C-alpha cells in the first residue's frame, strides 16, 4: 500500500466521501439531453471535478473517458433504475464506521484511510490507493427495481446489493493493513490476501460481500481444493482471482477468495489468542508455513 495522504490511527477521523456520486448524476442528466456530446459532458461535470480517490480509481481501473462513456451509454436501463440505490451510501456511514472501530479493537495497529465512493465502468467493485479505499458504487447497487437485463452472466456476478456496502468497505480496509505481508507471486499468497480481507472483514462488519462464491463452493470443497493445489505454488492467480472472463455456471470465478477465507478461518479457530491470530495473519512472511499452521488440509478432508 502506498503511503496514504489520509492515514490516521483513529477510526472516527476517516472521512467517507460521496460527492463523486452526486457529480456523476448531474453529468448523467445533462448527457441524457445531449447524447452527441456525452463524452465532453462527463469530462466537464464528472471527471474534471473528481476527488483524489476518483482520480486514482479511474487511473487504476477505468483507463479512459471513452471507455467510461461507452459503458454508461450501452446500459441505459441499468443506469435509469440504479440512481436511488447509489444514493443510499449515506445510510451506511454508521455501519462503515462501526466496522472501522471493530478493527481497532482487534488490531490496535490498524490505520484508517478515507473512503471514496465513485461510479466506474464495471471494472472494480473496490480497490485501494494512497488516497484511501475506493468503491465502485455502481457495482454495489443491485436490488429491487434495478434492471440488470443488459448485463451478461459475468457482469451480473460483478454486481452486488447495496446492503453489502459495509462489507466491501471492510474488505478493502483489511487490504490497507496488509503491507507487512510478504510480497510473493505464488497463487497461494494472492488467495490468502484476498480471503483474509473477506475473513477479517466479516469479523468486523458481520458479513462478506462474496456470499455468491461461498454458496457456490458448498459441497464442492474437496474438488476445488484439489484443483487449487495444482496451481498454488506457481504464478497462476489469474485462474483463481478476477477470472471473470472465463466464468460460467459450472466454473465460478474468484474461488481463490473462498480458499483464502477458509485457510484464515481455520488458522483463527485453531489459535487460542485471537488478537495474536489477527496480528499473525497481517504479518505472514511464509505462505506455505501459514497453510500448514492453519491445519486447513486436515479440515478439507472431512468434507
Amino acid at each position: 500500500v502506498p503511503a496514504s495522504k489520509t492515514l490516521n490511527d483513529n477510526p472516527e477521523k476517516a472521512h467517507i466521501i460521496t460527492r463523486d456520486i452526486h457529480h456523476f448524476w448531474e453529468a448523467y442528466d445533462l448527457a441524457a439531453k445531449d447524447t452527441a456530446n456525452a463524452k465532453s459532458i462527463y469530462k466537464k461535470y464528472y471527471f474534471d471535478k473528481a476527488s483524489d480517490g476518483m482520480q486514482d480509481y479511474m487511473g487504476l481501473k477505468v483507463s479512459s473517458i471513452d471507455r467510461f462513456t461507452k459503458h454508461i451509454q450501452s446500459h441505459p436501463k441499468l443506469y435509469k433504475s440504479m440512481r436511488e440505490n447509489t444514493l443510499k451510501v449515506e445510510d451506511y456511514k454508521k455501519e462503515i464506521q462501526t466496522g472501522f472501530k471493530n478493527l481497532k479493537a482487534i488490531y490496535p495497529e490498524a490505520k484508517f484511510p478515507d473512503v471514496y465512493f465513485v461510479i466506474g465502468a464495471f471494472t472494480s467493485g473496490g480497490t485501494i490507493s494512497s488516497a484511501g479505499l475506493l468503491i465502485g458504487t455502481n457495482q454495489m447497487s443491485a436490488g429491487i427495481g434495478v434492471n440488470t437485463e443488459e448485463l451478461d452472466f459475468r457482469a451480473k456476478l460483478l454486481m452486488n446489493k447495496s446492503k453489502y456496502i459495509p462489507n466491501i468497505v471492510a474488505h478493502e480496509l483489511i487490504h490497507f493493513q496488509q503491507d507487512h505481508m510478504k510480497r510473493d507471486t505464488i497463487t497461494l499468497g494472492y488467495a490468502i490476501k484476498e480471503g483474509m480481507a473477506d475473513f477479517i472483514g466479516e469479523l468486523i462488519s458481520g458479513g462478506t460481500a462474496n456470499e455468491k462464491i461461498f454458496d457456490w463452493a458448498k459441497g464442492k470443497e474437496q474438488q476445488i481444493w484439489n484443483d487449487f493445489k495444482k496451481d498454488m505454488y506457481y504464478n497462476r492467480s489469474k485462474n483463481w482471482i478476477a477470472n471473470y472472463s472465463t466464468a460460467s455456471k459450472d466454473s465460478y470465478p474468484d474461488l481463490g477468495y473462498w480458499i483464502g477465507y477458509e485457510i484464515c478461518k481455520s488458522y483463527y479457530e485453531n489459535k487460542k489468542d485471537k488478537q495474536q491470530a489477527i496480528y499473525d495473519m497481517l504479518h505472514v512472511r511464509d505462505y506455505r508455513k501459514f497453510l500448514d499452521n492453519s491445519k486447513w488440509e486436515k479440515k478439507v478432508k472431512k468434507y
Side-chain angles (χ1 to χ4, degrees):
V1 180
S4 174
K5 303 187 260 282
T6 62
L7 267 191
N8 71 86
D9 49 20
N10 179 351
E12 299 194 37
K13 281 190 181 158
H15 301 102
I16 295 170
I17 296 144
T18 57
R19 66 176 180 269
D20 294 302
I21 298 174
H22 300 284
H23 291 158
F24 167 77
W25 289 114
E26 186 190 348
Y28 174 87
D29 287 338
L30 291 167
K33 295 187 191 106
D34 184 5
T35 50
N37 293 304
K39 182 188 168 182
S40 59
I41 290 168
Y42 281 118
K43 182 184 183 305
K44 182 178 175 182
Y45 291 94
Y46 185 44
F47 284 82
D48 289 353
K49 293 181 179 182
S51 64
D52 290 350
M54 179 179 148
Q55 286 181 21
D56 283 358
Y57 178 96
M58 293 298 175
L60 290 164
K61 298 294 182 184
V62 179
S63 72
S64 78
I65 298 177
D66 281 316
R67 182 182 186 180
F68 174 84
T69 307
K70 195 177 167 191
H71 164 74
I72 303 294
Q73 290 189 315
S74 59
H75 296 82
K77 291 177 182 171
L78 180 68
Y79 285 93
K80 259 199 191 95
S81 59
M82 185 196 281
R83 186 181 318 225
E84 199 184 318
N85 281 2
T86 66
L87 299 172
K88 279 183 184 167
V89 172
E90 310 287 339
D91 303 344
Y92 294 107
K93 280 186 174 181
K94 212 171 181 165
E95 278 181 68
I96 290 167
Q97 281 159 336
T98 300
F100 279 31
K101 287 176 200 161
N102 290 343
L103 181 62
K104 181 77 177 173
I106 61 171
Y107 184 59
E109 298 88 339
K111 296 282 181 265
F112 299 96
D114 291 343
V115 189
Y116 291 87
F117 286 91
V118 309
I119 303 286
F122 257 68
T123 50
S124 172
T127 191
I128 59 175
S129 79
S130 60
L133 313 183
L134 318 174
I135 309 299
T137 316
N138 42 341
Q139 284 175 236
M140 299 302 300
S141 294
I144 294 161
V146 178
N147 187 331
T148 59
E149 67 186 57
E150 293 152 345
L151 300 176
D152 62 14
F153 174 77
R154 293 163 196 153
K156 278 185 181 146
L157 286 179
L158 289 168
M159 199 169 181
N160 246 319
K161 291 184 177 145
S162 48
K163 69 174 186 177
Y164 291 113
I165 283 170
N167 311 125
I168 191 109
V169 173
H171 175 104
E172 298 305 332
L173 177 63
I174 302 312
H175 280 318
F176 218 88
Q177 319 301 321
Q178 289 179 331
D179 46 357
H180 302 288
M181 295 175 71
K182 182 174 166 56
R183 286 175 182 274
D184 207 325
T185 57
I186 60 169
T187 305
L188 178 64
Y190 287 111
I192 286 171
K193 280 184 174 172
E194 289 297 348
M196 181 187 305
D198 267 347
F199 176 70
I200 306 178
E202 182 180 61
L203 285 182
I204 63 173
S205 72
T208 163
N210 280 320
E211 255 177 32
K212 293 177 208 172
I213 302 162
F214 288 61
D215 289 345
W216 190 87
K218 280 182 188 135
K220 307 181 186 78
E221 294 87 354
Q222 190 72 61
Q223 183 57 55
I224 296 167
W225 180 244
N226 289 344
D227 291 342
F228 182 78
K229 279 199 293 193
K230 295 169 196 159
D231 286 344
M232 72 177 170
Y233 294 133
Y234 299 96
N235 186 355
R236 294 178 189 161
S237 64
K238 64 180 185 298
N239 292 340
W240 295 92
I241 288 162
N243 53 329
Y244 280 84
S245 59
T246 56
S248 69
K249 286 189 172 64
D250 306 315
S251 168
Y252 236 55
D254 274 347
L255 288 169
Y257 285 69
W258 174 81
I259 294 226
Y261 173 96
E262 291 292 341
I263 292 167
C264 290
K265 184 181 178 187
S266 188
Y267 184 89
Y268 184 82
E269 285 172 349
N270 285 314
K271 192 104 177 155
K272 276 203 176 75
D273 183 341
K274 301 303 181 196
Q275 198 155 316
Q276 186 61 45
I278 300 292
Y279 183 90
D280 292 350
M281 283 184 215
L282 288 165
H283 292 78
V284 176
R285 303 303 298 169
D286 182 337
Y287 294 103
R288 291 168 193 248
K289 201 170 143 195
F290 183 76
L291 173 61
D292 287 344
N293 292 341
S294 77
K295 305 189 174 71
W296 157 247
E297 296 221 58
K298 287 193 187 101
K299 197 173 157 186
V300 78
K301 287 190 176 109
K302 292 175 186 161
Y303 281 111

